[in-house]
Amino acid sequence: MSQATLSDPELLARLVAFDSTSDRSNRPIAEFIRDYLDRPGARVEALDSPDGTKVNLVVHVGPEVDETSRAGLTLSGHLDVVPAGEPDWQSDPFTLTETDAGYVGRGACDMKGFDAIAVNLAAELAGRRLRHPLVLILTYDEEVGTIGAHHFARSWPKERPLPRATIVGEPTTLKVVRMHKGHTDLRLRLHGVAAHSGYPHLGKSAIEPAGRAIVALSELRRALEQEPCPNREHFPEVPYVALNVGTVHGGSAINVVPEYCELGIGLRVLPGMSAEPLVERLRQTLAEALGDEPFELVLDHDSPPLYTPEDDELYRHLCTLLQQHATAGVSYATDAGWFQTMGLRCLIFGPGDIAVAHKPNEIMPKDEYRRGGAIFRRLAERCCG
Ligand SMILES: [Zn+2]
């Protein structure tokens, strides 16, 4: 059945209405997009996550990808959103609400606003004869560690190349970004022996060694802040590897000797660096601080940094179009780090401001949204038309 095409804000409203928080399945929103793109000229594939609860969607419009030139355009966005439980929401987060300033709702900015533009672009181009293909990659679980993109990069068949020029439409207030930091999530697990706190000699605290670990990690954090890193000139605010002890969970009650404590640790490496040696250094630091205390250090998720050279053709074109002169890096990780490992040339570029993402009353400014839609249509015309 051929579908009517909605305007970008109308489609955005439909996407926002799906509660696709990362701890839920994204199948309902993926099904909706699949139905919406059920029209001649568009091919939609749903690729199951390893546990079968979620999907990456791949949309293909136009001719097959030429293996040599890999011409065309790949656009990518994530379908999941962060939780919307904050009490400060002034409207229902899953009902897109229009105000004078813009469109408000969970994901309006990060990043269903872009998703709606990309899906509509596929719908608009589906009926046309294109010179080169347009491909969309819509991922699951970006917000909890670029898990869907990692799975996609691991499992997409090498014999099916994708258009090399790639834009990940995370909110950048329509500034083109060619590099970002990575993010590595680690868990430190410490085990003790539970006991009634009146008889502490029968137990062993898991929290006390965690305290020593925290002190050692904060010293490592300060040391890292002094060390020069590649590409640091592009990250003037934080020109070093950032280390964060983000969570501490341990103990069950005040009158119980705690048998378990876990620290969540994040590392953000700069483009041109690998997380591996830093993880090893962190392990050494912990081994020294903890002495003969046994511990587990587990790598939870890894999102590689992104680096696209300045002479990239699409980057140059966008800079000219936007009259942008300075290269700026961003300090958050995106799916692009994984796509780069597949040989895609990635840029980060999208409407909306990352500063309002992950917050109550997340907003997409109207003018910027309209401008963003127009720029992506021009780009698609240039790369595929
Ligand atoms: Zn995002």
Side-chain angles (χ1 to χ4, degrees):
M1 190 186 77
S2 199
Q3 307 274 345
T5 300
L6 304 171
S7 69
D8 292 346
E10 284 167 346
L11 183 55
L12 172 57
R14 302 291 291 273
L15 298 183
V16 165
F18 289 94
D19 176 357
S20 57
T21 310
S22 314
D23 63 359
R24 296 179 168 225
S25 173
N26 72 342
R27 281 187 188 277
I29 189 171
E31 285 291 314
F32 167 80
I33 292 172
R34 197 176 196 163
D35 281 352
Y36 185 72
L37 289 176
D38 180 13
R39 40 187 104 207
R43 272 203 330 262
V44 185
E45 287 172 77
L47 310 169
D48 286 352
S49 63
D51 69 0
T53 61
K54 297 178 182 177
V55 288
N56 284 318
L57 275 190
V58 181
V59 180
H60 187 117
V61 174
E64 291 306 316
V65 181
D66 180 87
E67 265 178 57
T68 320
S69 71
R70 291 178 68 177
L73 181 64
T74 301
L75 296 177
S76 179
H78 57 82
L79 296 175
D80 61 320
V81 293
V82 296
E86 306 97 328
D88 297 334
W89 279 94
Q90 284 165 7
S91 54
D92 172 20
F94 298 107
T95 304
L96 190 74
T97 305
E98 192 174 339
T99 68
D100 288 345
Y103 307 105
V104 178
R106 173 53 84 226
C109 162
D110 183 12
M111 58 181 298
K112 289 176 174 174
F114 167 79
D115 292 340
I117 292 174
V119 169
N120 258 343
L121 208 43
E124 288 158 25
L125 295 186
R128 287 188 33 197
R129 277 179 80 87
L130 300 175
R131 271 188 311 130
H132 303 296
L134 171 73
V135 172
L136 312 188
I137 309 169
L138 302 171
T139 62
Y140 65 89
D141 282 2
E142 190 273 349
E143 295 289 7
V144 287
T146 61
I147 295 170
H150 186 190
H151 180 231
F152 181 79
R154 265 198 330 256
S155 56
W156 184 254
K158 285 199 175 51
E159 57 279 12
R160 292 182 63 190
L162 296 163
R164 199 183 300 278
T166 303
I167 295 179
V168 176
E170 290 278 357
T172 63
T173 58
L174 296 179
K175 289 189 183 64
V176 54
V177 169
R178 63 181 179 90
M179 55 183 104
H180 66 56
K181 288 189 182 179
H183 191 236
T184 308
D185 289 15
L186 300 151
R187 312 253 147 217
L188 170 65
R189 296 185 178 139
L190 293 156
H191 298 273
V193 177
H196 188 294
S197 65
Y199 305 91
H201 57 290
L202 300 178
K204 184 168 126 8
S205 170
I207 288 183
E208 286 177 7
R212 298 206 299 279
I214 291 170
V215 171
L217 290 173
S218 74
E219 278 162 19
L220 177 60
R221 172 179 67 75
R222 281 191 291 272
L224 289 172
E225 289 176 10
Q226 302 306 318
E227 293 176 16
C229 293
N231 295 305
R232 63 183 186 276
E233 66 277 18
H234 300 300
F235 297 85
E237 263 183 290
V238 187
Y240 47 79
V241 174
L243 188 161
N244 183 42
V245 179
T247 59
V248 181
H249 294 292
S252 56
I254 289 180
N255 57 3
V256 177
V257 176
E259 70 171 336
Y260 184 66
C261 190
E262 181 180 297
L263 307 185
I265 306 160
L267 269 175
R268 293 184 188 271
V269 300
L270 280 76
M273 296 177 83
S274 153
E276 254 169 67
L278 278 157
V279 172
E280 204 33 56
R281 196 164 148 199
L282 204 135
R283 190 186 300 280
Q284 287 291 330
T285 301
L286 291 169
E288 276 164 35
L290 293 169
D292 49 14
E293 189 78 42
F295 68 89
E296 287 171 71
L297 184 66
V298 183
L299 179 73
D300 231 9
H301 304 300
D302 192 27
S303 304
L306 170 71
Y307 180 85
T308 296
E310 201 166 10
D311 63 2
D312 178 70
E313 211 257 340
L314 189 58
Y315 175 72
R316 291 251 172 229
H317 172 73
L318 265 171
C319 283
T320 309
L321 189 73
L322 303 163
Q323 296 185 313
Q324 179 181 321
H325 306 295
T327 270
V330 292
S331 284
Y332 52 87
T334 75
D335 285 343
W338 285 118
F339 297 147
Q340 184 179 249
T341 66
M342 307 170 70
L344 301 182
R345 283 263 191 145
C346 299
L347 301 173
I348 314 297
F349 174 72
D353 190 345
I354 195 74
V356 305
H358 302 201
K359 286 189 182 161
N361 310 307
E362 178 180 341
I363 189 167
M364 171 65 79
K366 280 186 203 171
D367 277 358
E368 195 173 316
Y369 195 46
R370 214 173 301 122
R371 236 184 103 217
I375 293 171
F376 278 105
R377 283 169 175 88
R378 268 178 77 171
L379 277 182
E381 200 56 55
R382 181 175 193 272
C383 298
C384 313

